[in-house]
Coordinates of all heavy atoms in Angstrom, one line a residue:
M185 N 298.7 101.1 160.4 CA 299.3 102.0 161.4 C 298.6 101.7 162.7 O 297.4 101.7 162.8 CB 298.9 103.4 160.9 CG 299.7 104.5 161.6 SD 301.4 104.4 161.3 CE 301.9 106.0 161.7
L186 N 299.4 101.7 163.8 CA 298.9 101.4 165.1 C 298.6 102.7 165.9 O 299.3 103.7 165.7 CB 299.9 100.6 165.9 CG 300.4 99.3 165.4 CD1 301.5 98.7 166.1 CD2 299.2 98.3 165.4
N187 N 297.5 102.7 166.6 CA 297.3 103.9 167.5 C 298.0 103.6 168.9 O 298.6 102.6 169.1 CB 295.8 104.2 167.7 CG 295.1 103.1 168.3 OD1 295.6 102.4 169.2 ND2 293.8 102.9 167.9
S188 N 298.0 104.6 169.7 CA 298.7 104.6 171.0 C 298.2 103.5 171.9 O 299.0 102.8 172.6 CB 298.7 105.9 171.7 OG 297.4 106.3 172.0
K189 N 296.9 103.2 171.9 CA 296.3 102.2 172.8 C 296.8 100.8 172.3 O 297.1 99.9 173.1 CB 294.8 102.3 172.7 CG 294.1 101.3 173.7 CD 292.6 101.6 173.6 CE 291.9 100.8 174.7 NZ 290.5 101.1 174.8
Q190 N 296.8 100.6 171.0 CA 297.3 99.3 170.4 C 298.8 99.1 170.7 O 299.2 98.0 171.1 CB 297.0 99.2 168.9 CG 295.6 99.2 168.6 CD 295.2 99.4 167.2 OE1 296.0 100.1 166.4 NE2 294.1 98.9 166.7
R191 N 299.6 100.2 170.6 CA 301.0 100.1 170.9 C 301.2 99.7 172.3 O 302.1 98.9 172.7 CB 301.7 101.4 170.6 CG 302.0 101.7 169.1 CD 302.8 103.0 169.0 NE 302.6 103.5 167.7 CZ 303.3 103.0 166.6 NH1 304.1 102.0 166.8 NH2 303.1 103.5 165.4
A192 N 300.5 100.3 173.2 CA 300.6 100.0 174.7 C 300.2 98.6 174.9 O 300.9 97.9 175.7 CB 299.7 101.0 175.5
Y193 N 299.2 98.1 174.3 CA 298.8 96.7 174.4 C 299.9 95.8 173.9 O 300.2 94.8 174.7 CB 297.5 96.4 173.6 CG 297.0 95.0 173.7 CD1 296.5 94.5 174.8 CD2 297.2 94.2 172.6 CE1 296.0 93.2 174.9 CE2 296.7 92.9 172.6 CZ 296.2 92.4 173.7 OH 295.7 91.1 173.7
L194 N 300.5 96.1 172.8 CA 301.6 95.2 172.3 C 302.8 95.3 173.1 O 303.5 94.3 173.3 CB 301.9 95.6 170.8 CG 300.8 95.3 169.8 CD1 301.1 95.9 168.4 CD2 300.6 93.8 169.6
R195 N 303.1 96.5 173.6 CA 304.3 96.6 174.5 C 304.1 95.7 175.7 O 305.1 95.0 176.2 CB 304.5 98.0 175.0 CG 305.1 98.9 174.0 CD 305.6 100.2 174.6 NE 304.6 100.9 175.3 CZ 303.8 101.9 174.8 NH1 304.0 102.3 173.6 NH2 303.0 102.5 175.6
G196 N 302.9 95.6 176.3 CA 302.6 94.7 177.4 C 302.8 93.3 177.1 O 303.4 92.5 177.9
L197 N 302.4 92.9 175.9 CA 302.6 91.5 175.5 C 304.1 91.2 175.2 O 304.5 90.0 175.5 CB 301.8 91.2 174.1 CG 300.3 91.2 174.2 CD1 299.7 91.0 172.8 CD2 299.8 90.2 175.2
A198 N 304.8 92.1 174.8 CA 306.2 91.9 174.5 C 307.1 91.8 175.7 O 308.3 91.4 175.6 CB 306.7 93.0 173.5
N199 N 306.6 92.2 176.8 CA 307.5 92.2 178.1 C 308.0 90.8 178.3 O 309.1 90.7 178.8 CB 306.6 92.7 179.3 CG 306.6 94.1 179.4 OD1 307.4 94.8 178.9 ND2 305.6 94.6 180.1
N200 N 307.2 89.8 178.1 CA 307.7 88.4 178.4 C 308.3 87.7 177.3 O 308.7 86.6 177.4 CB 306.4 87.6 178.8 CG 305.8 88.2 180.1 OD1 306.5 88.7 181.0 ND2 304.5 88.1 180.2
L201 N 308.5 88.4 176.1 CA 309.1 87.8 174.9 C 310.6 87.7 175.1 O 311.3 88.6 175.6 CB 308.8 88.5 173.7 CG 307.4 88.5 173.2 CD1 307.2 89.3 171.9 CD2 306.9 87.1 172.9
E202 N 311.2 86.6 174.5 CA 312.7 86.5 174.4 C 313.1 87.3 173.2 O 312.4 87.4 172.2 CB 313.1 85.1 174.3 CG 312.8 84.2 175.5 CD 313.7 84.6 176.7 OE1 314.9 84.9 176.4 OE2 313.2 84.6 177.8
T203 N 314.3 87.8 173.2 CA 314.9 88.4 172.0 C 315.3 87.4 171.1 O 316.1 86.5 171.4 CB 316.1 89.3 172.4 OG1 315.7 90.2 173.4 CG2 316.7 90.0 171.2
I204 N 314.7 87.4 169.8 CA 315.0 86.3 168.9 C 315.8 86.8 167.7 O 316.3 86.0 166.9 CB 313.7 85.6 168.4 CG1 312.8 86.6 167.7 CG2 313.0 84.9 169.5 CD1 311.7 85.9 166.9
L205 N 315.9 88.1 167.5 CA 316.6 88.7 166.4 C 317.7 89.6 166.8 O 317.5 90.5 167.6 CB 315.6 89.5 165.6 CG 316.0 90.0 164.2 CD1 316.2 88.8 163.3 CD2 315.0 90.9 163.6
I206 N 319.0 89.3 166.4 CA 320.1 90.0 166.9 C 320.8 90.6 165.7 O 321.2 89.9 164.8 CB 321.0 89.2 167.8 CG1 320.2 88.8 169.0 CG2 322.3 89.9 168.1 CD1 321.0 87.8 169.9
I207 N 321.1 91.9 165.7 CA 321.8 92.6 164.6 C 323.2 92.9 165.0 O 323.4 93.6 166.0 CB 321.1 93.9 164.2 CG1 319.6 93.8 164.0 CG2 321.8 94.5 163.0 CD1 319.2 92.8 162.9
G208 N 324.2 92.3 164.4 CA 325.5 92.4 164.7 C 326.3 93.4 163.9 O 325.7 94.4 163.4
K209 N 327.6 93.3 163.7 CA 328.4 94.3 163.1 C 328.3 94.3 161.6 O 328.7 95.3 161.0 CB 329.9 94.1 163.5 CG 330.5 92.8 162.9 CD 331.9 92.7 163.4 CE 332.6 91.4 162.9 NZ 334.0 91.3 163.3
G210 N 327.7 93.3 161.0 CA 327.5 93.3 159.5 C 326.3 94.1 159.1 O 325.6 94.7 159.9
E211 N 326.1 94.2 157.9 CA 324.9 94.9 157.3 C 323.6 94.1 157.7 O 323.8 92.9 158.1 CB 325.0 95.0 155.8 CG 326.2 95.8 155.3 CD 325.9 97.3 155.5 OE1 324.8 97.7 155.2 OE2 326.8 98.0 155.9
I212 N 322.5 94.7 157.5 CA 321.2 93.9 157.6 C 321.1 93.2 156.3 O 320.7 93.8 155.3 CB 320.1 94.9 157.9 CG1 320.3 95.5 159.3 CG2 318.7 94.1 157.9 CD1 319.2 96.4 159.7
T213 N 321.3 91.9 156.3 CA 321.4 91.1 155.1 C 320.0 90.5 154.7 O 319.1 90.6 155.6 CB 322.4 90.0 155.2 OG1 321.9 89.1 156.3 CG2 323.8 90.5 155.5
D214 N 319.9 90.0 153.5 CA 318.7 89.3 153.1 C 318.3 88.1 154.1 O 317.2 87.9 154.3 CB 318.8 88.7 151.7 CG 318.9 89.8 150.7 OD1 318.4 91.0 151.0 OD2 319.3 89.6 149.6
N215 N 319.3 87.5 154.7 CA 319.1 86.4 155.6 C 318.4 86.9 156.9 O 317.5 86.3 157.4 CB 320.4 85.7 155.9 CG 320.3 84.5 156.7 OD1 319.2 83.8 156.6 ND2 321.3 84.1 157.5
I216 N 318.9 88.1 157.4 CA 318.3 88.7 158.6 C 316.8 89.1 158.3 O 315.9 88.8 159.1 CB 319.1 89.8 159.1 CG1 320.4 89.3 159.7 CG2 318.4 90.6 160.2 CD1 321.4 90.4 160.0
I217 N 316.6 89.7 157.1 CA 315.3 90.1 156.7 C 314.4 88.9 156.6 O 313.2 88.9 157.0 CB 315.3 90.9 155.4 CG1 316.0 92.2 155.7 CG2 313.9 91.1 154.9 CD1 316.4 92.9 154.4
M218 N 314.9 87.8 156.0 CA 314.1 86.6 155.9 C 313.8 86.0 157.3 O 312.6 85.5 157.5 CB 314.8 85.5 155.0 CG 314.0 84.3 154.7 SD 314.9 83.1 153.8 CE 316.1 82.5 155.0
Q219 N 314.7 86.0 158.2 CA 314.5 85.5 159.5 C 313.4 86.3 160.2 O 312.6 85.8 160.9 CB 315.8 85.6 160.3 CG 315.7 85.0 161.7 CD 317.0 85.2 162.5 OE1 318.0 85.7 162.0 NE2 317.0 84.7 163.7
A220 N 313.5 87.6 160.1 CA 312.5 88.5 160.7 C 311.1 88.3 160.1 O 310.1 88.2 160.8 CB 312.9 90.0 160.5
D221 N 311.0 88.1 158.8 CA 309.8 87.9 158.1 C 309.2 86.6 158.5 O 308.0 86.5 158.8 CB 310.0 87.9 156.6 CG 308.8 87.9 155.8 OD1 307.9 88.8 156.0 OD2 308.6 87.0 154.9
T222 N 309.9 85.5 158.6 CA 309.4 84.2 159.0 C 308.9 84.3 160.5 O 307.9 83.7 160.8 CB 310.6 83.2 158.9 OG1 311.0 83.2 157.5 CG2 310.1 81.8 159.2
A223 N 309.7 84.9 161.3 CA 309.3 85.0 162.7 C 308.0 85.8 162.9 O 307.2 85.5 163.7 CB 310.4 85.7 163.6
L224 N 307.9 86.9 162.1 CA 306.7 87.7 162.2 C 305.5 87.0 161.7 O 304.4 87.1 162.3 CB 306.8 89.0 161.3 CG 307.7 90.1 162.0 CD1 308.1 91.1 161.0 CD2 306.9 90.7 163.1
T225 N 305.6 86.1 160.7 CA 304.5 85.3 160.2 C 304.1 84.3 161.3 O 302.9 84.1 161.5 CB 304.9 84.5 158.9 OG1 305.3 85.5 157.9 CG2 303.8 83.7 158.4
A226 N 305.0 83.7 162.0 CA 304.7 82.7 163.0 C 304.3 83.3 164.3 O 303.3 82.8 164.9 CB 306.0 81.9 163.2
R227 N 304.8 84.4 164.7 CA 304.6 84.9 166.0 C 303.8 86.2 166.1 O 303.2 86.6 167.1 CB 305.9 85.2 166.8 CG 306.7 83.9 167.0 CD 308.0 84.3 167.6 NE 308.9 83.1 167.7 CZ 309.6 82.9 168.7 NH1 309.7 83.7 169.7 NH2 310.4 81.8 168.7
E228 N 303.8 87.0 165.0 CA 303.2 88.3 164.9 C 304.0 89.4 165.6 O 304.0 90.6 165.2 CB 301.8 88.3 165.3 CG 300.9 87.5 164.4 CD 299.4 87.6 164.7 OE1 299.1 87.9 165.9 OE2 298.6 87.4 163.9
L229 N 304.5 89.1 166.7 CA 305.2 90.1 167.6 C 306.6 89.6 167.9 O 306.7 88.5 168.5 CB 304.4 90.3 168.9 CG 304.8 91.5 169.8 CD1 304.6 92.8 169.1 CD2 304.0 91.4 171.1
I230 N 307.7 90.3 167.5 CA 309.0 89.9 167.9 C 309.8 91.0 168.5 O 309.5 92.1 168.3 CB 309.7 89.3 166.6 CG1 309.9 90.4 165.6 CG2 309.1 88.1 166.0 CD1 310.8 90.1 164.4
K231 N 310.8 90.5 169.2 CA 311.7 91.5 169.9 C 313.2 91.3 169.3 O 313.6 90.2 169.1 CB 311.8 91.2 171.4 CG 312.5 92.3 172.3 CD 312.6 91.9 173.7 CE 311.2 92.0 174.4 NZ 311.3 91.9 175.9
G232 N 313.8 92.4 169.0 CA 315.1 92.3 168.4 C 316.1 93.2 169.2 O 315.7 94.0 170.0
K233 N 317.4 93.0 169.0 CA 318.4 93.7 169.7 C 319.5 94.0 168.7 O 319.9 93.3 167.9 CB 319.0 92.8 170.8 CG 320.0 93.6 171.6 CD 320.5 92.7 172.8 CE 321.5 93.5 173.6 NZ 321.9 92.7 174.8
R234 N 320.0 95.3 168.9 CA 321.2 95.7 168.2 C 322.4 95.7 169.0 O 322.4 96.2 170.1 CB 320.9 97.2 167.7 CG 322.1 97.9 167.2 CD 321.9 99.4 167.5 NE 323.1 100.2 167.4 CZ 323.9 100.3 168.4 NH1 323.7 99.8 169.6 NH2 325.0 101.1 168.3
L235 N 323.4 95.0 168.6 CA 324.7 94.9 169.3 C 325.5 96.2 169.2 O 325.3 96.9 168.3 CB 325.5 93.7 168.9 CG 324.9 92.4 169.0 CD1 325.8 91.3 168.5 CD2 324.6 92.0 170.5
E236 N 326.4 96.4 170.2 CA 327.2 97.6 170.2 C 328.0 97.7 168.9 O 328.4 98.8 168.5 CB 328.1 97.6 171.4 CG 327.4 97.9 172.7 CD 326.8 99.3 172.8 OE1 327.5 100.2 172.4 OE2 325.7 99.4 173.4
S237 N 328.4 96.6 168.4 CA 329.3 96.6 167.2 C 328.6 96.9 165.9 O 329.2 97.1 164.8 CB 330.0 95.2 167.0 OG 329.0 94.2 166.9
S238 N 327.3 97.0 166.0 CA 326.5 97.3 164.8 C 326.7 98.8 164.2 O 326.8 99.7 165.0 CB 325.0 97.1 165.0 OG 324.2 97.5 163.9
A239 N 326.7 98.9 162.9 CA 326.8 100.2 162.3 C 325.5 101.0 162.4 O 325.5 102.2 162.2 CB 327.2 100.1 160.8
Y240 N 324.4 100.4 162.7 CA 323.1 101.0 162.7 C 322.7 101.3 164.2 O 323.1 100.6 165.1 CB 322.0 100.0 162.2 CG 322.2 99.7 160.7 CD1 322.8 98.5 160.4 CD2 321.8 100.5 159.7 CE1 322.9 98.1 159.0 CE2 322.0 100.2 158.4 CZ 322.6 99.0 158.0 OH 322.7 98.7 156.8
S241 N 321.8 102.3 164.3 CA 321.2 102.5 165.6 C 320.1 101.5 165.8 O 319.6 100.9 164.8 CB 320.7 103.9 165.8 OG 319.6 104.1 164.9
A242 N 319.5 101.4 167.0 CA 318.3 100.5 167.1 C 317.1 101.0 166.3 O 316.4 100.2 165.8 CB 317.9 100.4 168.6
R243 N 316.9 102.3 166.3 CA 315.8 102.9 165.5 C 316.0 102.6 164.0 O 315.0 102.2 163.3 CB 315.8 104.4 165.8 CG 314.8 105.2 164.9 CD 313.4 104.7 164.9 NE 312.7 105.0 166.2 CZ 311.5 104.6 166.4 NH1 310.7 104.0 165.6 NH2 311.0 104.9 167.6
E244 N 317.2 102.7 163.5 CA 317.5 102.4 162.1 C 317.2 100.9 161.8 O 316.7 100.6 160.7 CB 318.9 102.8 161.7 CG 319.2 104.3 161.7 CD 320.7 104.6 161.5 OE1 321.5 103.8 162.0 OE2 320.9 105.7 161.0
C245 N 317.7 100.1 162.7 CA 317.4 98.6 162.5 C 315.9 98.3 162.4 O 315.5 97.6 161.5 CB 318.0 97.8 163.6 SG 319.8 97.8 163.7
A246 N 315.2 98.9 163.4 CA 313.8 98.7 163.5 C 313.0 99.2 162.2 O 312.2 98.5 161.7 CB 313.2 99.3 164.7
D247 N 313.4 100.4 161.9 CA 312.7 101.0 160.7 C 313.0 100.3 159.4 O 312.1 100.0 158.6 CB 313.1 102.5 160.5 CG 312.5 103.4 161.6 OD1 311.5 103.0 162.2 OD2 313.1 104.5 161.8
L248 N 314.3 99.9 159.2 CA 314.7 99.1 158.0 C 314.0 97.8 157.9 O 313.4 97.4 156.9 CB 316.2 98.9 158.0 CG 316.7 98.5 156.6 CD1 316.8 99.6 155.7 CD2 318.0 97.8 156.8
L249 N 314.0 97.0 159.0 CA 313.3 95.7 159.0 C 311.8 95.9 158.9 O 311.2 95.1 158.2 CB 313.6 95.0 160.4 CG 315.1 94.4 160.4 CD1 315.3 93.9 161.8 CD2 315.3 93.3 159.4
A250 N 311.2 96.9 159.5 CA 309.8 97.1 159.4 C 309.4 97.4 157.9 O 308.4 96.8 157.4 CB 309.3 98.2 160.3
E251 N 310.2 98.2 157.3 CA 309.9 98.5 155.9 C 310.1 97.3 155.0 O 309.2 97.1 154.1 CB 310.9 99.6 155.4 CG 310.8 100.0 154.0 CD 311.8 101.1 153.6 OE1 312.2 101.9 154.5 OE2 312.2 101.0 152.5
Q252 N 311.1 96.5 155.2 CA 311.4 95.4 154.4 C 310.3 94.2 154.6 O 310.0 93.5 153.7 CB 312.8 94.8 154.6 CG 313.9 95.7 154.2 CD 314.0 95.9 152.7 OE1 313.8 94.9 151.9 NE2 314.2 97.1 152.2
C253 N 309.8 94.1 155.8 CA 308.9 93.0 156.1 C 307.4 93.5 156.2 O 306.6 92.6 156.4 CB 309.2 92.5 157.5 SG 310.8 91.7 157.6
G254 N 307.2 94.7 156.0 CA 305.8 95.2 156.0 C 305.2 95.2 157.4 O 304.0 94.9 157.6
A255 N 306.0 95.5 158.4 CA 305.6 95.4 159.8 C 305.5 96.9 160.3 O 305.9 97.8 159.7 CB 306.7 94.6 160.6
D256 N 305.1 96.9 161.6 CA 305.0 98.2 162.3 C 306.0 98.2 163.5 O 306.2 97.1 164.1 CB 303.6 98.4 163.0 CG 302.6 98.8 161.9 OD1 302.9 99.7 161.1 OD2 301.5 98.2 161.9
V257 N 306.7 99.3 163.7 CA 307.6 99.4 164.8 C 306.7 99.8 166.0 O 306.1 100.8 166.0 CB 308.7 100.5 164.6 CG1 309.6 100.6 165.9 CG2 309.5 100.2 163.4
V258 N 306.8 98.9 167.1 CA 305.9 99.1 168.2 C 306.7 100.0 169.2 O 306.2 101.0 169.7 CB 305.6 97.8 168.9 CG1 304.8 98.0 170.2 CG2 304.8 96.9 168.0
Q259 N 308.0 99.7 169.4 CA 308.8 100.4 170.4 C 310.3 100.2 170.2 O 310.7 99.2 169.7 CB 308.4 99.9 171.8 CG 309.1 100.7 172.9 CD 308.7 100.1 174.3 OE1 308.5 98.9 174.5 NE2 308.5 101.0 175.3
V260 N 311.0 101.3 170.5 CA 312.5 101.2 170.5 C 313.0 101.8 171.8 O 312.7 102.9 172.1 CB 313.1 102.0 169.3 CG1 314.6 101.9 169.4 CG2 312.6 101.4 168.0
I261 N 313.6 101.0 172.6 CA 314.2 101.5 173.8 C 315.7 101.0 173.9 O 315.9 99.8 173.9 CB 313.4 100.9 175.1 CG1 312.1 101.6 175.1 CG2 314.2 101.2 176.3 CD1 311.3 101.2 176.4
G262 N 316.6 101.9 174.0 CA 318.0 101.5 174.1 C 318.4 100.8 172.9 O 318.3 101.3 171.8
S263 N 318.9 99.6 173.1 CA 319.3 98.7 171.9 C 318.3 97.7 171.5 O 318.5 96.9 170.6 CB 320.6 98.0 172.3 OG 320.4 97.1 173.4
K264 N 317.1 97.7 172.1 CA 316.1 96.8 171.8 C 314.9 97.4 171.1 O 314.6 98.6 171.2 CB 315.5 96.1 173.1 CG 316.6 95.2 173.7 CD 316.1 94.4 174.8 CE 317.2 93.5 175.4 NZ 316.7 92.5 176.3
F265 N 314.2 96.6 170.2 CA 313.1 97.1 169.5 C 312.1 96.0 169.4 O 312.4 94.8 169.5 CB 313.5 97.6 168.1 CG 314.3 96.6 167.3 CD1 313.6 95.7 166.4 CD2 315.7 96.5 167.3 CE1 314.3 94.8 165.6 CE2 316.4 95.6 166.5 CZ 315.7 94.8 165.7
I266 N 310.8 96.3 169.1 CA 309.7 95.4 169.0 C 309.0 95.7 167.7 O 308.7 96.8 167.3 CB 308.7 95.6 170.1 CG1 309.4 95.4 171.4 CG2 307.5 94.6 170.0 CD1 308.6 95.8 172.7
L267 N 308.8 94.6 166.9 CA 308.1 94.7 165.6 C 306.8 93.9 165.7 O 306.8 92.9 166.3 CB 308.9 94.2 164.5 CG 310.3 94.9 164.2 CD1 311.0 94.2 163.1 CD2 310.1 96.3 163.9
Y268 N 305.8 94.4 165.0 CA 304.5 93.7 164.9 C 304.0 93.7 163.5 O 304.0 94.7 162.8 CB 303.5 94.4 165.8 CG 302.0 93.9 165.6 CD1 301.6 92.7 166.1 CD2 301.1 94.6 164.9 CE1 300.3 92.2 165.9 CE2 299.8 94.2 164.7 CZ 299.4 93.0 165.2 OH 298.2 92.5 165.0
R269 N 303.5 92.5 163.1 CA 302.8 92.4 161.8 C 301.7 91.3 161.9 O 302.1 90.1 162.3 CB 303.8 91.9 160.7 CG 303.1 91.9 159.3 CD 304.0 91.4 158.2 NE 304.3 90.0 158.4 CZ 305.3 89.4 157.8 NH1 306.1 90.0 157.0 NH2 305.5 88.1 158.1
P270 N 300.4 91.6 161.8 CA 299.4 90.6 161.9 C 299.6 89.5 160.8 O 299.9 89.8 159.7 CB 298.1 91.3 161.8 CG 298.5 92.6 161.0 CD 299.9 92.8 161.4
N271 N 299.3 88.2 161.2 CA 299.3 87.1 160.3 C 297.9 87.2 159.5 O 296.9 87.1 160.1 CB 299.4 85.8 161.0 CG 299.5 84.6 160.1 OD1 299.0 84.6 159.0 ND2 300.2 83.6 160.6
P272 N 298.0 87.4 158.2 CA 296.7 87.5 157.4 C 295.8 86.3 157.4 O 294.6 86.3 157.3 CB 297.2 87.9 156.0 CG 298.6 87.4 155.9 CD 299.1 87.4 157.3
D273 N 296.5 85.1 157.6 CA 295.7 83.8 157.5 C 295.1 83.4 158.9 O 294.0 83.0 159.0 CB 296.6 82.7 156.9 CG 297.0 83.0 155.5 OD1 296.3 83.7 154.8 OD2 298.2 82.7 155.2
E274 N 296.0 83.4 159.9 CA 295.6 82.9 161.2 C 296.1 83.9 162.3 O 297.1 83.7 162.9 CB 296.2 81.5 161.5 CG 295.8 80.4 160.5 CD 296.6 79.2 160.7 OE1 297.1 79.0 161.8 OE2 296.6 78.4 159.8
P275 N 295.4 85.0 162.4 CA 295.8 86.0 163.5 C 295.8 85.4 164.9 O 294.8 84.7 165.2 CB 294.9 87.1 163.3 CG 293.7 86.7 162.5 CD 294.2 85.4 161.8
V276 N 296.8 85.7 165.6 CA 296.9 85.2 167.0 C 296.6 86.3 168.0 O 295.9 86.1 169.0 CB 298.4 84.7 167.3 CG1 298.6 84.3 168.7 CG2 298.7 83.5 166.4
I277 N 297.0 87.5 167.7 CA 296.9 88.7 168.6 C 295.6 89.5 168.1 O 295.6 89.9 166.9 CB 298.1 89.5 168.6 CG1 299.3 88.8 169.1 CG2 297.9 90.8 169.5 CD1 300.6 89.5 169.0
T278 N 294.7 89.8 169.0 CA 293.6 90.7 168.7 C 293.9 92.0 169.4 O 293.9 92.1 170.6 CB 292.3 90.1 169.3 OG1 292.2 88.7 168.8 CG2 291.1 90.9 168.9
L279 N 294.0 93.0 168.5 CA 294.3 94.4 169.0 C 293.0 95.1 169.5 O 291.9 94.8 169.0 CB 294.9 95.2 167.9 CG 296.2 94.8 167.4 CD1 296.6 95.7 166.2 CD2 297.3 94.9 168.5
P280 N 293.1 95.9 170.5 CA 292.0 96.7 171.0 C 291.5 97.6 169.8 O 292.3 98.1 169.0 CB 292.5 97.5 172.1 CG 293.9 97.2 172.3 CD 294.3 96.2 171.3
K281 N 290.2 97.9 169.7 CA 289.7 98.7 168.7 C 290.0 100.2 169.0 O 290.1 100.6 170.1 CB 288.2 98.5 168.6 CG 287.8 97.1 168.2 CD 288.1 96.8 166.8 CE 287.6 95.4 166.5 NZ 288.3 94.7 165.4
A282 N 290.1 101.0 167.9 CA 290.3 102.4 168.0 C 288.9 103.0 168.4 O 287.9 102.6 168.0 CB 290.8 103.0 166.8
K283 N 288.9 104.1 169.2 CA 287.7 104.8 169.5 C 287.1 105.6 168.3 O 287.9 106.1 167.5 CB 288.0 105.9 170.6 CG 288.2 105.2 172.0 CD 288.4 106.3 173.0 CE 288.6 105.7 174.4 NZ 288.8 106.8 175.4
N284 N 285.8 105.6 168.2 CA 285.2 106.4 167.1 C 285.0 107.8 167.6 O 284.5 108.0 168.7 CB 283.8 105.7 166.7 CG 284.0 104.4 166.1 OD1 285.1 104.1 165.5 ND2 283.0 103.6 166.1
K285 N 285.3 108.7 166.8 CA 285.2 110.1 167.2 C 283.9 110.7 166.6 O 283.5 110.4 165.6 CB 286.4 110.9 166.8 CG 287.6 110.5 167.6 CD 288.8 111.4 167.3 CE 290.0 111.1 168.2 NZ 291.1 111.9 168.0

């Protein structure tokens, strides 16, 4: 689970990312889930987009993919969403630490 400081950090990193995952009018298939899983393993942070013809909302797409891939939803704005999952073997992104209370 990400805290707000970590989400803000990841949103900043995602500004320059290209959208690599596009959800069209079909269902979210095993192929799309596999593509998202592979991209998350390689990049840790990915940006996706839901097309107008999709039966799902952007939030539904993000939540479904996050659940299937074991990722966290960083942000959903309009038709775009950002997912994050750290690579357990070779992490690329170092998140800011949470404050101790």
Side-chain angles (χ1 to χ4, degrees):
M185 192 70 156
L186 299 170
N187 64 34
S188 61
K189 187 174 186 178
Q190 292 168 335
R191 283 184 199 283
Y193 177 74
L194 291 171
R195 282 194 307 264
L197 292 177
N199 279 338
N200 299 325
L201 291 180
E202 294 290 323
T203 302
I204 61 167
L205 190 65
I206 298 176
I207 310 297
K209 67 180 177 179
E211 296 285 319
I212 294 180
T213 62
D214 291 339
N215 190 27
I216 292 172
I217 293 168
M218 185 182 70
Q219 181 184 2
D221 188 55
T222 304
L224 283 165
T225 301
R227 300 175 183 219
E228 296 185 332
L229 189 66
I230 62 170
K231 190 183 287 188
K233 181 177 181 175
R234 167 206 161 277
L235 297 178
E236 290 292 323
S237 58
S238 176
Y240 298 102
S241 70
R243 172 57 70 181
E244 291 170 333
C245 290
D247 288 341
L248 191 83
L249 286 171
E251 180 183 326
Q252 294 292 321
C253 297
D256 287 311
V257 178
V258 175
Q259 183 178 38
V260 178
I261 290 185
S263 63
K264 294 192 178 190
F265 56 91
I266 302 166
L267 301 176
Y268 169 74
R269 183 183 71 196
N271 186 331
D273 299 327
E274 299 173 22
V276 176
I277 299 172
T278 304
L279 294 176
K281 301 288 184 204
K283 289 183 179 179
N284 293 335
K285 291 186 177 182

